[in-house]
């Protein structure tokens, strides 16, 4: 039996696990994301302890970003322009490889999540599929023809511009991009109340579903994906997915006949909260393309 | 020497050519797009005459759309929901295959064009690239990891929603999508004057470059393509490309470091007016994926 180290590294917590090749989670822990040295120390301690008992083949890292995926760059595998204190330009992949003496396979958190969903979740057998997380931030990853899509960069689709009636969104770079309008952080700023405290009948949710619908519609006409998987904390609102689907149908106005109903296309994650962690497992198994040894 | 029949089928004209495997255009003609039977008769006559002299291996068709690419559908290879009189549900690929007794390889016009640009033009060696045509309509095709991107449908990115100050765009389905704002047809409706008659200093061009820039920016954050190739009649305005690039840079606001300057990414076609026709050649050579024999 092979064992893999999997890390879903988020801006709030590092979700770490030892997972066997038959996808059993042997041991799991969540470590708060503080400053890099402190966080990494605890991550390394967790896996070093496990290395006494298990031979770990490799480590998969699905990491918050932006992260450098340009193998010709000396910053390959580093977190780059994050505003998170201490983490900008932090060589996370190299540090983990060195200290755990393991090959590290890495990609962005959402690229990991779409890979997990493609292999074992809601995007199985899809030619084109998108995983979107709407939580503290707003981001997405794409699978196209069996491979994670990487161009000059990993997708940063949370910064897509959409029409809105909101006067001023909250992205420090672009104002009213979808992250500036519809991430949990932006919702809290717009409504002066954390998203999880907004009651179900609050008008925030109608507007939220319209914004997410415009974003999903734009993905549909650009990529015609078989699946758009909506995950993340904000999507936990029980009515939001269906309200979003209804609004996408209204915008589409019958233009494209996609051969599937919208609620077969726009769906919740097949792996529930584990898309990112299983994505990290898939990366560890060499099913992505970026590694530091 | 092998010879191929290539057709770039547009809503205004059918650009037809016999092309040799070494990419020499042996003979070329442009046939106006009228009603299907009349247009096809002339296309078939052109190639039948050539078949007396040349052994043609196959036909490549880069076709205006939407076009059915679902090989399990009985409408496979048909033009589908076009508003163009007589062309809706027209079995163009099957008709050509039957009457010319040739295998027909087909895809959308812009999918053809991006394939041509990927093999021989501005998108050579790109992992991800987009060809956009801005003319009578507004559309785009994507190459990802060496293959034309097909999900549930071919891309219909001309229907992407972007923020605008224009009160009412002219797409009959979506109002102010980018096609409803920035196609030649929509420009003419907004400014009550054909695009080619609008003088260079007309405020239409500034607004046009802002709209196209928002669209290009959305492609950049979604796909991070190495190239966005802007073709089509409206892009013939000599200042428009540079104005668009400047506006994309303003919107990006330094967020993504793409390792390339914006004018290396957003470019004119490498094949000038021939992206679609050479795309049809590439399709004929089996470098796409959809065929009717």
């Amino acid at each position: 039996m092979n064992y893999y180290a999997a890390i879903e590294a988020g801006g709030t917590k590092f979700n770490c696990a030892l997972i066997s090749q038959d996808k059993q989670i042997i041991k799991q822990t969540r470590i708060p994301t503080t400053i890099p040295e402190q966080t990494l120390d605890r991550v390394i301690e967790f896996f070093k302890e496990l290395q006494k008992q298990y031979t770990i083949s490799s480590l998969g890292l699905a990491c918050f970003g932006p992260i450098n995926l340009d193998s010709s760059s000396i910053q390959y595998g580093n977190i780059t322009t994050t505003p998170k204190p201490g983490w900008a330009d932090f060589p996370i992949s190299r540090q983990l490889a060195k200290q755990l003496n393991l090959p590290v396979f890495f990609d962005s958190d959402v690229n990991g999540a779409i890979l997990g969903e493609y292999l074992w979740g809601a995007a199985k057998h899809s030619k084109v599929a998108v995983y979107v997380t709407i939580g503290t931030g707003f981001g997405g990853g794409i699978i196209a023809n069996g491979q994670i899509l990487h161009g000059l960069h990993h997708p940063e689709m949370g910064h897509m511009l959409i029409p809105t009636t909101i006067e001023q969104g909250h992205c420090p770079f672009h104002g009213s991009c979808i992250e500036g309008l519809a991430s949990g952080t932006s919702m809290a700023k717009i409504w002066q109340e954390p998203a999880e405290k907004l009651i179900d009948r609050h008008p925030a949710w109608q507007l939220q579903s319209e914004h997410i619908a415009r974003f999903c519609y734009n993905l549909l006409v650009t990529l015609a994906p078989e699946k758009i998987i909506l995950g993340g904390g904000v999507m936990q609102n029980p009515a939001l997915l269906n309200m979003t689907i209804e609004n996408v149908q209204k915008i589409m106005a019958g233009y494209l006949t996609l051969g599937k109903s919208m609620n077969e296309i726009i769906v919740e994650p097949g792996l529930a909260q584990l898309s990112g962690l299983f994505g990290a497992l898939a990366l560890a198994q060499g099913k992505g393309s970026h590694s530091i040894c």
Side-chain angles (χ1 to χ4, degrees), chain A:
Chain A
M1 184 71 78
N2 288 321
Y3 296 95
Y4 301 94
I7 305 175
E8 182 192 19
T12 312
K13 63 177 188 305
F14 275 49
N15 190 0
C16 304
L18 181 75
I19 310 183
S20 64
Q21 70 185 81
D22 60 354
K23 302 210 301 293
Q24 299 307 309
I25 296 178
I26 310 293
K27 192 154 186 186
Q28 185 176 9
T29 190
R30 287 181 185 81
I31 294 165
T33 310
T34 58
I35 56 166
E37 295 71 20
Q38 194 178 36
T39 312
L40 267 268
D41 277 356
R42 290 192 55 191
V43 169
I44 286 155
E45 192 192 335
F46 171 74
F47 286 115
K48 277 215 163 147
E49 200 54 39
L50 287 163
Q51 280 180 316
K52 291 179 188 164
Q53 268 185 277
Y54 298 90
T55 305
I56 301 179
S57 306
S58 56
L59 185 151
L61 170 68
C63 191
F64 73 93
I67 183 166
N68 187 315
L69 298 177
D70 173 4
S71 58
S72 70
S73 165
I74 54 161
Q75 298 176 310
Y76 186 52
N78 294 9
I79 291 169
T80 62
T81 57
T82 179
K84 217 170 165 56
W87 289 92
D89 291 319
F90 185 71
I92 185 167
S93 309
R94 247 175 263 272
Q95 287 280 332
L96 287 166
K98 191 175 146 195
Q99 299 208 40
L100 291 169
N101 196 26
L102 286 176
V104 171
F105 295 83
F106 61 95
D107 211 319
S108 74
D109 46 2
V110 279
N111 276 351
I114 187 58
L115 183 61
E117 287 289 331
Y118 171 70
L119 292 170
W120 303 303
K124 252 188 247 178
H125 312 301
S126 293
K127 280 186 294 182
V128 183
V130 188
Y131 177 93
V132 180
T133 181
I134 311 173
T136 319
F138 195 118
I142 300 168
I143 279 277
N145 300 321
Q147 288 182 57
I148 296 170
L149 190 82
H150 296 115
L152 286 172
H153 206 281
H154 53 77
E156 280 284 334
M157 62 179 82
H159 294 274
M160 182 194 285
L161 300 174
I162 56 154
T164 179
T165 50
I166 290 276
E167 221 162 285
Q168 185 56 51
H170 295 276
C171 171
F173 292 93
H174 316 107
S176 297
C177 62
I178 184 73
E179 176 163 293
L181 293 167
S183 71
T185 313
S186 299
M187 281 188 87
K189 285 181 181 158
I190 292 167
W191 303 102
Q192 309 279 312
E193 186 95 65
E196 62 274 21
K197 290 208 174 160
L198 293 166
I199 56 160
D200 285 357
R201 273 186 266 167
H202 195 289
W205 294 111
Q206 182 54 38
L207 194 68
Q208 181 73 355
S209 73
E210 287 170 17
H211 286 149
I212 301 172
R214 283 171 205 152
F215 168 81
C216 288
Y217 165 83
N218 277 356
L219 291 180
L220 276 173
V221 293
T222 305
L223 300 166
E226 281 133 304
K227 297 287 172 188
I228 297 175
I229 301 166
L230 299 180
V234 170
M235 288 308 301
Q236 301 306 308
N237 176 296
L240 186 55
L241 180 63
N242 283 335
M243 287 162 72
T244 301
I245 291 169
E246 268 174 42
N247 281 315
V248 174
Q249 280 164 325
K250 271 186 215 160
I251 302 167
M252 186 62 83
Y255 178 67
L256 282 187
T257 34
L258 296 165
K260 280 190 181 181
S261 70
M262 209 57 86
N263 59 14
E264 290 175 276
I265 299 172
I266 302 175
V267 297
E268 56 189 20
L271 300 173
Q273 311 294 322
L274 294 174
S275 320
L277 200 62
F278 276 108
L281 167 67
L283 293 173
Q285 293 176 326
K287 291 165 179 160
S289 57
H290 291 281
S291 63
I292 279 178
C293 299

